[in-house]
Each structure stands twice: as structure tokens, then as C-alpha cells.
């Protein structure tokens, strides 16, 4: 049953990526929406779940928050290091994002890992009971549309060829199915899962705030772009509210 439900997540992820491909003539709107979706996922879904799952503290600070900050700093360090390397080889540092496809692939890889954890969550929930499994499955399927949209957008934004973006999208779509299958063989401890969500949330927030949204408003600082960002956040809020 868990694998069957994960196939719904597979289809929704592909639908999100297909949507991102079809609206390339409105790139600023796509990026604005992607930034809003990412911000909503981090603030309304990932971080609360991370705080709940990884409830330990380190020197008075929740471990999930420390990993959240570490993820943000890690993404910043990777992006700056790659930009500096490109500049040292003759490229302008301001062009680092466009000339460093490794950043896009790494970010998309993190999205794939997150989607695999979604599949694990579905499988674990069905082990608890059918009602719990159904609730978790609905939440995962609903926000996997945003995951597919963001995976294709992030990979393309950093200068990767379309075939790479499509490959990462397919990998992201397959990940929940594989994650659900894996629960038949092992179980990830909840604190470990919470720590991962905190770290991934920090990476995602950096990409949204420092990369995606500035790029969206760079050439088209229109109110429609801002509206798309707010719409993305509101959509995730709706998903979280319904699934809660």
C-alpha cells in the first residue's frame, strides 16, 4: 500500500517539473513562485517537523535549529567557494551562479534525498496504521508537486542543460517510491530524520533567499512576481493545514 501511494507522489513530482518547463517564457514568475514554495516548505513544513523529531538541545539551543543554521552556512560556503574558483579561472564572480552548475546539481540532489525521506515517512506511517499512513501520504503527494517544480527550476537556474534538469526531475520522482520500499528493510531513527530535515531546511532557505528570489526580481521587479512568491507560500500553508 505504501509503495502504491508513493506512485502518486511520483506522478505529482513529474507534473510539477513539467509545469516548470512549460512556463519558461515567464521565467521571473516561475522563479518567484519557486522561491515562495521553498520558503513555505522550510518555514511551515520542514522546520516544525525537524523541531518535533529532533527534540534534543546542544548548549541550550535545539539541535534541529543548530543544524538548520549549519545547512544555511554550508550552502553559502559551497556557493562562495565555487564562485571564487570560477573567478580565479577568468570568470567574473558575479557570474558564478550561472557558471557553476555543480551548485544546481548539489541542490537538486538534496531535493532527491528529501523526496526519498518522504517515501520513508509514508512507509513508516503505514507501519503505524492505515489512518496515519493516509494522512502522511496526502501531505507528501500534495507538496511533491512543489518539489518537482523546484527541482527542475533549481537545476536549470545554475546553467545545467535541459537533459540534466530532466534527469534530476526523474530521480526526484522515483525517490519516494524507493524510500517507501526501503521501509520494508530498515527504520531511520526519528532524531536522525529530524536532524536531516533541519540541515536540509537551512540549505533550502539559503537557495530561496540568496539565489532564487533575487534572480526573480533582478530583471522583472514586478508586483506579479511578488504575488507569485506569496502564492507559493500560501499554497504550502494550505497543504500543511489540510494535512494537519
Amino acid at each position: 500500500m505504501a509503495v502504491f501511494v508513493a506512485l502518486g507522489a511520483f506522478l505529482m513530482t513529474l507534473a510539477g517539473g513539467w509545469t516548470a518547463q512549460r512556463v519558461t517564457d515567464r521565467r521571473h514568475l516561475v522563479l518567484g513562485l519557486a522561491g515562495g514554495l521553498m520558503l513555505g516548505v522550510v518555514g511551515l513544513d520542514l522546520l516544525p517537523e525537524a523541531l518535533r523529531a529532533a527534540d534534543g538541545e546542544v548548549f541550550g539551543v535545539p539541535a534541529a535549529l543548530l543544524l538548520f543554521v549549519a545547512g544555511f552556512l554550508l550552502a553559502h560556503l559551497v556557493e562562495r567557494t565555487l564562485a571564487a574558483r570560477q573567478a580565479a579561472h577568468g570568470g567574473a564572480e558575479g557570474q558564478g551562479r550561472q557558471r557553476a552548475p555543480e551548485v544546481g546539481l548539489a541542490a537538486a540532489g538534496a531535493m532527491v534525498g528529501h523526496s526519498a525521506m518522504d517515501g520513508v515517512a509514508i512507509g513508516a506511517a503505514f507501519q503505524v496504521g492505515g489512518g496515519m499512513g493516509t494522512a502522511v501520504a496526502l501531505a507528501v503527494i500534495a507538496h511533491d508537486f512543489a518539489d518537482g517544480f523546484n527541482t527542475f527550476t533549481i537545476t536549470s537556474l545554475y546553467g545545467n542543460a535541459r537533459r540534466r534538469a530532466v534527469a534530476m526531475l526523474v530521480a526526484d520522482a522515483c525517490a519516494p517510491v524507493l524510500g517507501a520500499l526501503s521501509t520494508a528493510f530498515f527504520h531511520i531513527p526519528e532524531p536522525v530524520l529530524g536532524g536531516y530535515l533541519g540541515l536540509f531546511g537551512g540549505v533550502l532557505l539559503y537557495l530561496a533567499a540568496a539565489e532564487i528570489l533575487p534572480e526573480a526580481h533582478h530583471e522583472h521587479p514586478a508586483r506579479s512576481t511578488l504575488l507569485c512568491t506569496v502564492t507559493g507560500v500560501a499554497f504550502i500553508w494550505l497543504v500543511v493545514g489540510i494535512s494537519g
Side-chain angles (χ1 to χ4, degrees), residues 134-146:
T134 301
V136 171
L138 288 175
V140 169
I141 290 173
H143 90 250
D144 271 352
F145 179 88

Side-chain angles (χ1 to χ4, degrees), residues 152-223:
F152 185 88
T153 301
I154 291 172
T155 309
S156 302
L157 177 64
Y158 283 85
N160 287 285
R162 183 178 179 276
R163 59 181 177 80
R164 284 189 174 181
V166 171
M168 295 308 297
L169 173 63
V170 172
D172 190 48
C174 293
V177 180
L178 298 176
L181 278 171
S182 72
T183 58
F185 306 101
F186 68 91
H187 174 70
I188 298 178
E190 193 172 40
V192 175
L193 182 59
Y196 165 78
L197 292 176
L199 185 71
F200 176 64
V203 172
L204 209 59
L205 181 63
Y206 177 84
L207 292 173
E211 303 291 334
I212 303 296
L213 291 177
E215 182 71 16
H217 291 276
H218 177 61
E219 296 181 0
H220 297 276
R223 272 179 273 185

